[in-house]
């Protein structure tokens, strides 16, 4: 099981879009995926169609009041389950600040339980803006930390800040920077070159292009690849999946899709949604 945290201490850089797109695509490739919504705004929960303002969800884990089995919910998307979040999570963070108990291993311990560790291939954790107890829990648990960054402005500085602030929480963690919302203007191109020079092998080769479909997906509360019309953004996230997977795993994923497309009666291939 691979645990991936998606975070940046800067808003509007595509954290939730990245988390939900990767989760959706991994599920379509036959991988069992658990989304952990670690943001009190609950945007990932909304995008996956599972938001409930009254359920404690991840807050129940942070507070030690719920078991993993109690908080996992099915989503309407293939092979994707979720641990939801809402404003209960903000209250849980505030309460934990005054607690003398162990605070930063709660998500890691949740992921070690049999009902998760033996069932899922990937865990995708969508982080909030603040480096609060919940996000620290995610960083501690994650094998890979993806830092989305929008070209230009303060977002670039936020990448280095995120890396600095999370050092030492998980030794050996793989950190990858992902450029999002890229356009063809000069500033974007210069930013892309600078990021590659700065972070080298920590940069994803894939850059996520800006798309009108992405904005429509946000309004529709759906992962971008789940939208009926295709988009460059969805194709880009598919390329990110290829970078995350091993070559063997990627080949297996292609065979899975190929088999799904095969008409059982005729043996011919057909389009799948």
């Amino acid at each position: 099981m691979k645990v991936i945290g998606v975070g940046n201490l800067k808003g509007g850089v595509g954290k939730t879009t990245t988390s939900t797109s990767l989760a959706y695509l991994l599920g379509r490739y036959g991988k069992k995926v658990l989304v952990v919504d670690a943001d009190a705004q609950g945007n990932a929960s909304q995008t996956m169609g599972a938001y409930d303002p009254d359920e404690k969800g991840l807050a129940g884990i942070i507070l030690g009041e719920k078991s993993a089995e109690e908080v996992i919910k099915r989503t309407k998307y293939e092979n994707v389950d979720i641990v939801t979040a809402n404003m209960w999570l903000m209250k849980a963070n505030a309460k934990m600040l005054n607690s003398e108990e162990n605070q930063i291993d709660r998500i890691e311990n949740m992921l070690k339980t049999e009902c998760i560790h033996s069932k899922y291939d990937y865990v995708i954790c969508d982080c909030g803006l603040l480096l609060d107890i919940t996000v620290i829990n995610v960083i501690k648990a994650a094998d890979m930390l993806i830092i989305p960054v929008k070209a230009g402005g303060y977002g670039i500085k936020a990448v280095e800040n995120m890396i600095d602030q999370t050092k030492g929480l998980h030794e050996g963690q793989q950190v990858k920077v992902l450029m999002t919302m890229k356009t063809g203007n000069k500033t974007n191109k210069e930013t892309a070159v600078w990021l590659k020079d700065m972070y080298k092998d920590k940069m994803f080769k894939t850059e996520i292009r800006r798309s009108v479909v992405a904005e429509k997906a946000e309004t529709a509360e759906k992962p971008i690849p789940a939208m009926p019309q295709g988009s460059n953004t969805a194709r880009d996230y598919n390329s990110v999946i290829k970078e995350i997977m091993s070559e063997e795993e990627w080949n297996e994923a292609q065979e899975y899709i190929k088999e799904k497309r095969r008409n059982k009666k005729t043996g011919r291939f057909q389009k799948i949604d």
Side-chain angles (χ1 to χ4, degrees), residues 34-46:
L34 179 66
V35 176
V36 176
D37 192 347
D39 184 354
Q41 294 184 78
N43 290 336
S45 301
Q46 293 170 36

Side-chain angles (χ1 to χ4, degrees), residues 39 48 57 70 74 83 86 123 125 190 238 240:
D39 184 354
M48 304 309 289
E70 291 177 291
R74 294 290 300 275
V83 176
N86 51 37
V123 178
C125 305
E190 289 175 348
N238 195 61
V240 172

Side-chain angles (χ1 to χ4, degrees), residues 34 67-74 81-84 110 113 115-116 119-120:
L34 179 66
S67 67
E69 293 93 335
E70 291 177 291
V71 298
I72 294 174
K73 296 177 67 175
R74 294 290 300 275
D81 295 340
I82 190 169
V83 176
T84 61
M110 175 188 76
T113 57
C115 71
I116 292 179
K119 181 178 179 180
Y120 297 101

Side-chain angles (χ1 to χ4, degrees), residues 194-251:
W194 185 89
L195 285 169
K196 288 175 181 176
D197 288 343
M198 179 69 179
Y199 295 108
K200 297 181 174 61
D201 60 341
K202 287 184 179 179
M203 278 293 296
F204 278 103
K205 295 177 183 177
T206 304
E207 297 165 351
I208 308 300
R209 288 168 285 183
R210 195 179 192 93
S211 169
V212 174
V213 176
E215 297 172 8
K216 291 181 178 179
E218 188 173 331
T219 301
E221 295 187 348
K222 290 183 178 181
I224 291 173
M227 294 295 284
Q229 61 270 57
S231 70
N232 289 332
T233 306
R235 286 186 281 273
D236 292 339
Y237 276 116
N238 195 61
S239 296
V240 172
I241 293 291
K242 187 175 182 179
E243 290 193 57
I244 290 173
M245 287 182 173
S246 65
E247 183 177 355
E248 180 182 2
E249 193 177 13
W250 176 254
N251 290 336

Side-chain angles (χ1 to χ4, degrees), residues 115-270:
C115 71
I116 292 179
H117 194 271
S118 63
K119 181 178 179 180
Y120 297 101
D121 301 302
Y122 284 88
V123 178
I124 308 292
C125 305
D126 185 42
C127 295
L129 277 175
L130 304 176
L131 197 63
D132 54 23
I133 295 298
T134 303
V135 173
I136 291 173
N137 265 263
V138 169
I139 304 303
K140 179 102 172 25
D143 304 304
M144 173 186 284
L145 175 63
I146 296 177
I147 306 176
V149 54
K150 181 181 175 182
Y154 295 108
I156 295 175
K157 296 179 181 178
V159 173
E160 197 61 36
N161 189 27
M162 185 72 179
I163 293 173
D164 288 342
Q165 294 295 321
T166 58
K167 278 180 181 176
L169 287 175
H170 186 138
E171 294 298 329
Q173 182 181 73
Q174 186 180 14
V175 177
K176 297 289 285 187
V177 180
L178 177 65
M179 186 172 177
T180 61
M181 307 181 200
K182 186 185 178 184
T183 64
N185 66 41
K186 184 179 179 181
T187 300
N188 273 221
K189 291 178 180 178
E190 289 175 348
T191 301
V193 171
W194 185 89
L195 285 169
K196 288 175 181 176
D197 288 343
M198 179 69 179
Y199 295 108
K200 297 181 174 61
D201 60 341
K202 287 184 179 179
M203 278 293 296
F204 278 103
K205 295 177 183 177
T206 304
E207 297 165 351
I208 308 300
R209 288 168 285 183
R210 195 179 192 93
S211 169
V212 174
V213 176
E215 297 172 8
K216 291 181 178 179
E218 188 173 331
T219 301
E221 295 187 348
K222 290 183 178 181
I224 291 173
M227 294 295 284
Q229 61 270 57
S231 70
N232 289 332
T233 306
R235 286 186 281 273
D236 292 339
Y237 276 116
N238 195 61
S239 296
V240 172
I241 293 291
K242 187 175 182 179
E243 290 193 57
I244 290 173
M245 287 182 173
S246 65
E247 183 177 355
E248 180 182 2
E249 193 177 13
W250 176 254
N251 290 336
E252 289 174 354
Q254 302 313 300
E255 287 300 316
Y256 177 85
I257 289 293
K258 186 177 179 180
E259 189 58 33
K260 281 196 68 174
R261 292 178 61 235
R262 189 186 300 275
N263 186 295
K264 303 302 180 185
K265 293 182 179 179
T266 66
R268 295 178 179 178
F269 294 109
Q270 57 193 0

